[in-house]
Amino acid sequence: MSNEPIKFAYWVPNVSGGLVISQIPQRTSWDANYNRKLAQIAERAGFDYALTQIRFTAGYGADNQHESVTFSQDLLGATEKLKVIAALLPGPWNPTLAAKQIATISHLSNARIAVNIVSGWFRGEFKAIGEPWLDHEERYLRSEEFIRCLQGIWQQDSFTFAGDFYRFRDYSLKPKPLDPQPEIFQGGSSRAARDMAARVSDWYFTNGNTPEGIRQQVEDIQLKAAENQHKVKIGVNGFVIARQTEQEAQSVLRDILDNANPDAVKGFQSEVKNAGSASPEGEGNWAKSTLEDLVQYNDGFKTNLIGTPQQIAERIVELKQAGVDLMLLGFLHFQEEVEFFGREVIPRVRELERQQQPVLSHG
């Protein structure tokens, strides 16, 4: 377990429909003004990061989508300390363009920009925008080359690379990003995703899970990372329903599930199962997800951050003990609930962390 305080990130609702595939009324909006205010609330509440989403096509309630890099820059302009993680999808993005965009934003934001490399799971999206659909292993091979190219372009004066997907010859990017260099995040739960994180990524995002399930993933990744002389930090997805009583929180969860859009959830389930079954081990991010789990499309309910502020704080610290460095959080009504989380949950987490710090002897 790290002695560092656990970090907090939130999903930016830059796509419509919120973070649940449900027709329950939500006070969350995907528009720019709402998101600027939300970023300021999150910054004051003690959040470290905001993660923008990348979507090219409508589906699962996300009829409208703002582009991630442009939207990230807007949120950085509205804040002073918050770091924003822009999602990039290899294929539509080339490492040259991505490296240049992010380096410029690093200068504009005083080094507060990071990237999340999304390998892609939605075949229909690639087909719609005319991008080739690679098989599972190739998608991760391309993503790893993409990350190696970003790192090389940002760190080397003259970058040369000859891969299966990208080639560079004596390329020099100026200006480089400011220090600290942009952090590189990635997700995925397949063997290929974990192995890639253990080789090249700064951060690995995994879907919601129990502390024991997370512990197994963390041990697996950290063992492989150590063999590669690499260090990677772990972020876990969770959907928060913090209320004054556990009964009230569970009632909200039931309302979300009762108002779920079954056709949309089943459509999402079909796509993600197809993506997962394409991996050699026949499993992906959502291999063990039930239909109810998929109402929150990154298994956020599984993390069980549903209850009173004290219950949620205790569960977060339990996840930290399992090896988690960052909580990536979604909410139903973002502005109000992010503010409540910062006021009621984060201070309780910090107090529990202090209680667990080892006492130094002065003998």
Side-chain angles (χ1 to χ4, degrees):
M1 182 180 79
S2 170
N3 288 327
E4 292 285 314
I6 197 164
K7 295 186 182 299
F8 293 99
Y10 74 92
W11 285 97
V12 174
N14 59 303
V15 304
S16 60
L19 266 287
V20 288
I21 308 173
S22 176
Q23 286 149 345
I24 188 172
Q26 298 185 57
R27 296 189 294 275
T28 291
S29 173
W30 56 279
D31 72 35
N33 286 332
Y34 180 94
N35 272 284
R36 288 185 200 113
K37 185 178 178 186
L38 172 59
Q40 293 163 351
I41 291 169
E43 185 171 72
R44 289 194 299 270
F47 279 73
D48 305 278
Y49 296 92
L51 173 66
T52 55
Q53 304 174 64
I54 183 63
R55 297 277 190 92
F56 283 94
T57 59
Y60 323 120
D63 295 329
N64 295 286
Q65 321 96 28
H66 284 300
E67 189 276 314
S68 54
V69 177
T70 315
F71 211 76
S72 297
Q73 170 58 20
D74 190 62
L75 298 182
L76 288 163
T79 53
E80 296 176 357
K81 296 180 295 182
L82 189 72
K83 291 184 178 178
V84 183
I85 310 164
L88 299 173
L89 185 59
W93 268 273
N94 178 285
T96 315
L97 172 61
K100 193 84 171 171
Q101 279 181 304
I102 300 303
T104 295
I105 296 173
S106 173
H107 283 262
L108 296 175
S109 66
N110 194 25
R112 290 188 290 128
I113 186 71
V115 295
N116 180 38
I117 307 304
V118 180
S119 296
W121 55 265
F122 186 12
R123 183 174 186 169
E125 185 172 59
F126 278 71
K127 183 179 178 182
I129 62 174
E131 281 288 332
W133 178 248
L134 305 180
D135 73 24
H136 185 275
E137 297 302 282
E138 284 184 311
R139 294 201 298 278
Y140 280 97
L141 287 170
R142 178 170 67 179
S143 290
E144 182 166 339
E145 284 192 13
F146 192 97
I147 291 171
R148 290 186 185 279
C149 289
L150 286 183
Q151 292 168 332
I153 292 167
W154 286 338
Q155 294 166 13
Q156 297 176 28
D157 288 335
S158 180
F159 179 62
T160 296
F161 184 85
D164 292 327
F165 299 93
Y166 305 111
R167 289 175 178 264
F168 290 87
R169 189 186 297 268
D170 300 326
Y171 177 54
S172 179
L173 173 73
K174 293 183 180 177
K176 306 287 190 198
L178 296 176
D179 286 325
Q181 290 277 297
E183 294 172 294
I184 295 177
F185 293 72
Q186 65 145 110
S189 292
S190 65
R191 178 77 269 156
R194 295 199 300 272
D195 287 353
M196 183 175 96
R199 287 191 292 267
V200 294
S201 300
D202 300 310
W203 287 88
Y204 169 77
F205 279 138
T206 187
N207 273 4
N209 208 332
T210 63
E212 185 50 42
I214 295 296
R215 184 176 284 106
Q216 290 173 9
Q217 281 185 298
V218 170
E219 288 173 355
D220 175 67
I221 291 169
Q222 298 299 16
L223 185 66
K224 285 245 166 83
E227 290 171 358
N228 297 327
Q229 288 81 53
H230 182 65
K231 289 187 177 178
V232 61
K233 294 180 181 178
I234 309 296
V236 173
N237 183 64
F239 191 84
V240 177
I241 306 175
R243 298 295 186 270
Q244 296 295 357
T245 68
E246 185 177 12
Q247 183 180 15
E248 188 183 355
Q250 290 294 335
S251 176
V252 173
L253 174 61
R254 181 47 51 197
D255 284 346
I256 292 171
L257 295 174
D258 287 347
N259 286 278
N261 182 335
D263 291 339
V265 176
K266 285 174 183 171
F268 177 67
Q269 183 182 46
S270 174
E271 286 289 348
V272 298
K273 298 289 184 189
N274 285 343
S277 64
S279 65
E281 66 273 27
E283 287 193 10
N285 251 351
W286 297 272
K288 298 178 176 69
S289 303
T290 67
L291 211 61
E292 285 196 348
D293 292 330
L294 294 172
V295 172
Q296 202 294 306
Y297 43 75
N298 288 98
D299 281 341
F301 299 147
K302 282 187 181 179
T303 316
N304 196 25
L305 303 183
I306 298 162
T308 66
Q310 185 64 28
Q311 288 173 320
I312 291 169
E314 289 169 0
R315 287 165 191 160
I316 288 170
V317 172
E318 195 178 354
L319 286 162
K320 181 182 178 180
Q321 291 170 336
V324 172
D325 301 288
L326 178 148
M327 297 300 307
L328 172 59
L329 303 176
F331 301 86
L332 187 63
H333 310 300
F334 266 83
Q335 288 184 356
E336 304 96 302
E337 296 192 36
V338 163
E339 193 276 331
F340 183 82
F341 187 89
R343 188 177 73 245
E344 299 293 339
V345 180
I346 292 179
R348 287 175 164 86
V349 171
R350 299 299 179 228
E351 178 57 32
L352 289 169
E353 287 177 322
R354 279 192 292 275
Q355 292 172 11
Q356 294 186 356
Q357 286 287 358
V359 178
L360 298 175
S361 93
H362 299 282

